[in-house]
Amino acid sequence: MSSQLNPGAQDLLLVIDVQNDFCAGGALAVPGGDEVVAKINQLAAAFAHVLLTQDWHPPGHSSFASQHPGHSPFDTMQLAYGAQTLWPDHCVQGSHGAELHPALAIAHAELILRKGYRAEVDSYSAFYENDRHTPTGLAGYLRERGLRRLFLVGLATDYCVHYSALDARREGFEVVLLLDACRGLDSNGSLAKALSAMRAAGVEIREDAA
Ligand code: VGL
Ligand code: ZN
């Protein structure tokens, strides 16, 4: 049971991008994305502190392949700040696809952090935009709240969860990844690469959260 985790006052469950567009029928569906919802609800019940993130792009966002003639989703291209993977249009502000999954039931979540809202720069991480420089403010928020250990769950393991985990380590937080409450896109071996990068950065990876 999730009570085995025994989270304390300095622990936070960080739920990454459990939104319609990343689940079955969504614009950028992660295989098995829906499967994390029940697990996350169960985990959340054991945590006093829960934070949700929401990928939140304006229409015409620069990470959308539709904005770059001649390019297709999952291509990589150079933007002003470096290499960027291109995606189908997804999580457009105010759209149904951008809403949190309707079965997510975490009424006691204390903050919903939106990211990726600047047209010219993507933000996989909950901490830094993809220029790797512009902060979202989350590190400061967590420090002021005295939250020190972050349990990460959600979508997608190899993108937003991965980047959030690495940045959290860089900011000095303890990080535990609960793998069975995550699902990945796994394009071109990205999942294995992400897992080894997270391990190397000192992220504790638990296969089975329950
Ligand atoms: C994500 C690709 C584009 C994610 C967000 O939540 O992992 N991936 N935008
Ligand atoms: Zn996105």
Side-chain angles (χ1 to χ4, degrees):
M1 279 303 298
S2 56
S3 56
Q4 261 181 248
L5 284 176
N6 200 19
Q10 299 186 322
D11 293 335
L12 173 84
L13 184 68
L14 179 52
V15 181
I16 303 289
D17 297 2
V18 182
Q19 293 166 264
N20 290 325
D21 269 343
F22 297 122
C23 293
L28 181 44
V30 178
D34 303 73
E35 293 166 12
V36 302
V37 175
K39 182 92 230 172
I40 290 173
N41 287 341
Q42 182 195 350
L43 286 167
F47 280 80
H49 307 296
V50 182
L51 188 155
L52 313 172
T53 68
Q54 220 175 359
D55 208 37
W56 196 250
H57 302 309
H61 191 260
S62 58
S63 76
F64 297 168
S66 60
Q67 299 307 300
H68 305 282
H71 286 275
S72 310
F74 307 101
D75 284 357
T76 300
M77 82 174 284
Q78 286 299 126
L79 296 185
Y81 51 84
Q84 170 69 48
T85 301
L86 301 179
W87 305 105
D89 290 26
H90 67 279
C91 296
V92 173
Q93 296 171 0
S95 69
H96 172 77
E99 288 170 16
L100 296 169
H101 190 290
L104 204 60
I106 315 179
H108 66 294
E110 293 167 337
L111 180 71
I112 299 176
L113 181 99
R114 289 170 168 172
K115 60 183 180 61
Y117 45 73
R118 270 186 251 280
E120 65 286 354
V121 49
D122 203 1
S123 189
Y124 294 151
S125 164
F127 292 89
Y128 287 96
E129 299 189 0
N130 284 12
D131 60 9
R132 313 312 298 137
H133 180 75
T134 308
T136 63
L138 180 57
Y141 171 87
L142 296 174
R143 278 189 206 108
E144 283 202 39
R145 299 271 332 269
L147 297 162
R148 302 169 57 96
R149 184 167 60 160
L150 315 180
F151 290 77
L152 266 66
V153 296
L155 309 171
T157 320
D158 37 355
Y159 288 93
C160 291
V161 175
H162 167 211
Y163 280 77
S164 297
L166 294 186
D167 283 348
R169 290 293 302 140
R170 222 169 278 144
E171 288 292 333
F173 297 96
E174 283 180 61
V175 181
V176 182
L177 182 77
L178 302 177
L179 205 51
D180 65 342
C182 299
R183 292 293 183 278
L185 282 163
D186 202 15
S187 60
N188 304 316
S190 56
L191 190 53
K193 264 186 248 166
L195 291 173
S196 61
M198 287 190 279
R199 282 199 185 93
V203 174
E204 182 190 337
I205 299 179
R206 295 193 198 166
E207 299 284 338
D208 187 0

